[in-house]
Amino acid sequence: MANKEIDQAVKGLSNLTVTPPFPSLPPPSISSTIYRGLRIPSSWEEAADSIAYDSCTCPPPIVFICGPGNCGKSIFSRILLDTLFKRQLYKRVGYLDTDVGQPEFNTPGCVSLHIIDKETPDLTVLCLKTPEKYLYFGDVCAKANAKDYVFYIFNLYNYFSKKFYKFEDLTESDKPHVPLIVNTSGWIKGFGLDVLVDILRYISPTHVVKVECSEASKNLPGGAFWLFGGQKSNAEIIEICAAQKNTHSISSKKDARTMRDLRFLAYFRQCLPKDLEIPSYAELRRHLASITPFEIFLSKINVTYLHCQDSTKMTSHSLIDRIVGLAISSSIPSSALVSTPWCVGLGIVRSIDIERDTIYLVTPIPLHIVKKVDVLIQGSIEIPYCLGAGHT
């Protein structure tokens, strides 16, 4: 990422409104019809309206959005989210984000469930929200461990279904009445298609929105491709054209890593006072380095190494300068398909003192939660390059 771009982005982070406990990312200077370098088709609003009108009956809709990468799935999910609120049928909407590389409301490397209670109508604003529940996957590509990736999604859907989506007695005022939007990644070819099929069969959505680009070879198979031959789908299939790339947009020239770094910068920016002036990434790095880190006992921490890392070859120092998931061992999903506990936050391991049995950790989560953390989850995610000690 160019120094000028980082400086502008980080400067913007110092003056943002916080959506507790996450701050928003800086809005790009683009028109209301362009988002992340893509032009939004007007037909998308019609598709979102049709789903909202269908949602007048019980149970609430479960909408599964899929298609190739960079076609606008996340944008459509935001439009649909706000449309469901505008219909004033729901006070809350569930949002299951399965894209570990380019999530909509969370930091990369996580699979998360959000329960959103208000509109976010400005599509030019990228914002991070507090997840209802999430699991730290530790990589920005689902291919790193497709089996656990699928099980993570199943766990989150099970949690949502049990707590917010009950088929019996839905008319009772004391029962949850929450629709769900499932946003997916663009990994839809080869084994990625098998993964998508597994998720679709497990969730069994009421609506499947297939975003299709002009190049047919990049699209998903036709019809209810996730069912066995002869089976009929109970889901309504809605096909929409992909958003068009705006070649003149600055945001279209930024690669995926840029957006990931910005999200991590936004997350760790909240370790500092909200009103602190931060004009550049160098200042952000300096201020983060000046923070008094949390101290936790190394001997009380269980380190979980993800994605087939050989724990016998790993040392505690391999944690340094890594973004790690923070978890509490007693907080395992009740329908656990994997043993990974719910994530309570992310941290950066600044250093480790073996003699003092101490890990020095930088994280925005509050002290009373840090005191309960006894699991560090290490994947392959390192701190953004611009925050590295050797970067000048």
Side-chain angles (χ1 to χ4, degrees):
M1 186 188 303
N3 289 356
K4 185 176 180 181
E5 291 176 349
I6 281 286
D7 284 352
Q8 291 175 343
V10 174
K11 185 175 181 179
L13 294 176
S14 64
N15 299 308
L16 295 170
T17 301
V18 175
T19 303
F22 298 117
S24 299
L25 287 171
S29 300
I30 52 182
S31 75
S32 60
T33 58
I34 305 291
Y35 181 52
R36 297 185 191 172
L38 299 176
R39 187 175 297 278
I40 303 170
S42 59
S43 60
W44 285 19
E45 293 184 2
E46 298 174 6
D49 281 338
S50 70
I51 295 171
Y53 278 104
D54 283 350
S55 70
C56 293
T57 58
C58 290
I62 295 178
V63 186
F64 194 95
I65 304 170
C66 51
N70 300 315
C71 65
K73 294 185 296 297
S74 294
I75 308 173
F76 180 79
S77 73
R78 288 279 293 270
I79 294 173
L80 176 59
L81 178 67
D82 293 332
T83 302
L84 288 170
F85 279 121
K86 288 174 183 176
R87 289 282 298 149
Q88 298 183 341
L89 292 171
Y90 309 103
K91 295 181 179 180
R92 297 177 295 174
V93 177
Y95 190 98
L96 177 52
D97 202 333
T98 71
D99 190 344
V100 294
Q102 295 294 329
E104 187 64 14
F105 294 121
N106 202 9
T107 52
C110 301
V111 180
S112 57
L113 171 68
H114 301 263
I115 303 299
I116 299 172
D117 58 7
K118 62 183 178 180
E119 295 180 48
T120 54
D122 189 348
L123 294 181
T124 66
V125 177
L126 304 178
C127 58
L128 300 179
K129 295 181 179 292
T130 308
E132 170 73 19
K133 288 290 184 182
Y134 67 120
L135 291 159
Y136 186 63
F137 183 70
D139 203 288
V140 296
C141 179
K143 296 178 183 179
N145 188 335
K147 181 180 178 181
D148 280 359
Y149 169 74
V150 170
F151 285 161
Y152 279 17
I153 295 170
F154 291 177
N155 274 332
L156 285 165
Y157 178 72
N158 289 344
Y159 176 88
F160 169 82
S161 182
K162 182 177 181 179
K163 186 171 181 179
F164 298 100
Y165 196 87
K166 298 179 180 179
F167 289 93
E168 64 275 9
D169 301 326
L170 274 174
T171 57
E172 294 184 16
S173 59
D174 61 337
K175 295 295 184 181
H177 195 69
V178 181
L180 179 67
I181 297 171
V182 183
N183 191 35
T184 62
S185 72
W187 185 32
I188 63 171
K189 295 297 180 182
F191 189 51
L193 179 60
D194 296 332
V195 168
L196 192 68
V197 166
D198 287 343
I199 299 170
L200 269 163
R201 289 176 180 169
Y202 193 87
I203 293 178
S204 189
T206 61
H207 297 74
V208 175
V209 178
K210 296 168 66 177
V211 187
E212 299 184 332
C213 62
S214 57
E215 191 172 341
S217 61
K218 293 183 178 181
N219 293 328
L220 286 163
F225 61 89
W226 62 95
L227 297 180
F228 296 109
Q231 285 185 310
K232 291 184 179 181
S233 173
N234 293 322
E236 179 181 351
I237 300 174
I238 300 174
E239 297 178 352
I240 59 176
C241 295
Q244 295 181 344
K245 290 185 178 181
N246 177 29
T247 56
H248 300 293
S249 171
I250 295 176
S251 61
S252 67
K253 299 177 182 178
K254 294 181 179 180
D255 60 15
R257 181 166 182 172
T258 297
M259 300 307 297
R260 288 195 291 268
D261 282 355
L262 286 177
R263 288 186 177 276
F264 283 125
L265 291 175
Y267 181 80
F268 288 104
R269 165 65 177 86
Q270 70 184 323
C271 293
L272 302 167
K274 181 181 174 182
D275 58 354
L276 181 65
E277 183 74 20
I278 303 179
S280 68
Y281 71 90
E283 282 295 297
L284 177 60
R285 185 174 68 248
R286 184 177 69 81
H287 283 297
L288 287 176
S290 68
I291 293 174
T292 301
F294 292 108
E295 297 182 15
I296 55 180
F297 290 111
L298 176 62
S299 58
K300 293 185 178 180
I301 294 295
N302 177 43
V303 180
T304 299
Y305 300 99
L306 301 176
H307 314 317
C308 301
Q309 297 184 71
D310 187 350
S311 59
T312 61
K313 297 181 180 180
M314 306 297 285
T315 66
S316 57
H317 285 86
S318 67
L319 295 167
I320 298 175
D321 284 343
R322 289 290 184 98
I323 292 178
V324 294
L326 310 178
I328 301 168
S329 59
S330 60
S331 179
I332 300 290
S334 59
S335 58
L337 298 166
V338 290
S339 59
T340 305
W342 296 121
C343 188
V344 297
L346 302 182
I348 296 174
V349 177
R350 180 181 291 173
S351 63
I352 294 177
D353 190 324
I354 301 294
E355 292 184 357
R356 294 189 60 191
D357 189 34
T358 303
I359 296 176
Y360 297 93
L361 183 75
V362 174
T363 178
I365 68 174
L367 176 61
H368 73 277
I369 296 179
V370 173
K371 288 181 176 180
K372 297 178 181 179
V373 170
D374 58 0
V375 178
L376 297 187
I377 307 171
Q378 179 182 334
S380 59
I381 298 179
E382 299 179 352
I383 62 174
Y385 174 71
C386 61
L387 294 182
H391 186 64
T392 58

